[in-house]
Amino acid sequence: MTRIVYVNGRYHRYADASVHVEDRGFQFADSVYEVCEIAGGGIVDLDRHLARLARSLEALEIASPMSLSALAHVLHETVRRNRVRDGLVYLQVSRGAAPRDFAIPPAGTRPTVVCLARALPLGQADQVAQTGIAVITLPDIRWDRCDIKTVMLLPAVLAKREAGRRGAKEAWLVDRDGFVTEGASSNAWIVTDEGVLVTRSLSPALLPGVTRATLIDAIRRERLRLEERAFTPAEALSAREAFVTSATNTVMPVVRIDGTPIGDGRPGPVTMRLRRHFHDIAPVTN
Ligand code: PMP
């Protein structure tokens, strides 16, 4: 349970935490965020998350509210005050509050910073991974800068709703050329019949996932075969294995796409090995 929330320099009780009604995050989705996994009280892949946050802020020319080390302190302190051992920590930085106007407010407008931490039931994701998840495919209706981690998440919300309606946990978004860009809240991967790991190469069409990057480090270190390229839903259907990566689910096997089983319909061995090893590879900061 979230008990304490950081807002603009202060730690508030959850029920009392709030931001201004004219916050630009609320009115324009003029805001960026990060979600990090907490494991054993430490923050997983903190440096990569902070680097991506800095990149998102820079892309939107939102002034950095404080140094990255000060932000790291806020993240750790929020985790500590909520006594979270395993769960997630969420950080959002908006351009701040100003009378509603499309024009960017004057320099000096203070960015809004919110940080909250939440425990997740230990072992829950592991349990889901035992059987794997189903995904559906949907057209990717998002904008052309999906590499910036903004809170403009309505397409993802609608895609998840449709996935839920069809008994799936995630939606793989398909671009106009018929290739999978990524999941609504994860990066998409397949393992081909030849045992090659395939995930789309980075571009403005998809989020540079932190989990994706850390997994690629591990794949290179283990000298597994990796191709960073786009794949179609049809190629995924004929793959040996499929999975998704994200901070809160690490490596999660995909066992069905649009109702069709992948491989034998069970989590694949390559996927499960990467999942087991993920926490041995990912740096944790305490
Ligand atoms: N793509 C999208 C669209 C996402 O929302 C996420 C989760 N934030 C990811 C990929 C996975 O990124 P990460 O591994 O950094 O959590």
Side-chain angles (χ1 to χ4, degrees):
M1 208 179 69
T2 303
R3 283 176 289 200
I4 303 290
V5 182
Y6 173 92
V7 186
N8 292 336
R10 291 220 177 87
Y11 293 90
H12 303 264
R13 288 203 312 246
Y14 185 70
D16 301 331
S18 62
V19 296
H20 197 279
V21 290
E22 293 216 275
D23 195 273
R24 292 182 63 90
F26 181 54
Q27 292 181 332
F28 296 110
D30 192 357
S31 194
V32 300
Y33 76 108
E34 284 295 324
V35 179
C36 314
E37 185 195 9
I38 306 168
I43 301 177
V44 179
D45 266 326
L46 177 62
D47 289 348
R48 274 192 161 129
H49 282 286
L50 288 174
R52 186 173 61 187
L53 183 80
R55 192 177 155 277
S56 297
L57 289 169
E58 204 175 290
L60 300 181
E61 296 180 37
I62 296 177
S64 190
M66 59 186 95
S67 68
L68 291 187
S69 59
L71 279 171
H73 179 77
V74 168
L75 285 158
H76 280 304
E77 187 61 17
T78 305
V79 171
R80 193 185 69 75
R81 288 185 188 228
N82 285 283
R83 300 200 189 101
V84 178
R85 302 260 336 137
D86 297 281
L88 61 86
V89 60
Y90 174 91
L91 178 70
Q92 183 178 158
V93 181
S94 88
R95 202 183 298 275
R100 187 177 183 280
D101 190 344
F102 284 91
I104 302 270
T109 303
R110 204 177 52 155
T112 301
V113 184
V114 170
C115 186
L116 52 89
R118 183 161 291 157
L120 294 175
L122 188 60
Q124 190 180 52
D126 283 333
Q127 216 165 3
V128 175
Q130 287 310 308
T131 45
I133 63 163
V135 306
I136 60 166
T137 58
L138 288 175
D140 192 344
I141 60 167
R142 304 172 304 165
W143 71 331
D144 283 346
R145 288 305 306 274
C146 291
D147 56 320
I148 310 172
K149 196 165 171 63
T150 78
V151 302
M152 202 168 59
L153 292 168
L154 198 48
V157 168
L158 298 180
K160 293 276 193 185
R161 179 179 66 175
E162 186 57 21
R165 281 178 176 159
R166 296 204 227 152
K169 274 261 163 39
E170 178 59 305
W172 279 7
L173 308 175
V174 179
D175 69 17
R176 289 200 187 122
D177 299 321
F179 292 97
V180 174
T181 47
E182 60 181 331
S185 65
S186 59
N187 289 110
W189 297 71
I190 56 172
V191 184
T192 68
D193 250 349
E194 294 77 41
V196 181
L197 286 139
V198 181
T199 194
R200 187 160 173 148
S201 53
L202 296 184
S203 76
L206 68 158
L207 189 79
V210 165
T211 318
R212 175 191 182 282
T214 297
L215 197 65
I216 286 178
D217 284 351
I219 287 166
R220 294 218 168 104
R221 211 172 312 146
E222 290 189 28
R223 296 181 189 281
L224 299 174
R225 282 158 68 203
L226 169 73
E227 284 177 14
E228 287 184 74
R229 62 165 175 83
F231 58 84
T232 61
E235 184 179 3
L237 285 174
S238 66
R240 199 190 279 170
E241 300 181 29
F243 62 92
V244 291
T245 52
S246 71
T248 46
N249 283 310
T250 67
V251 178
M252 181 58 73
V254 169
V255 293
R256 270 197 318 283
I257 300 174
D258 290 333
T260 302
I262 304 306
D264 62 3
R266 284 182 301 206
V270 174
T271 305
M272 289 310 266
R273 196 163 61 82
L274 292 171
R275 179 177 177 82
R276 274 195 303 277
H277 289 324
F278 186 79
H279 284 119
D280 303 334
I281 338 155
V284 180
T285 317
N286 281 291

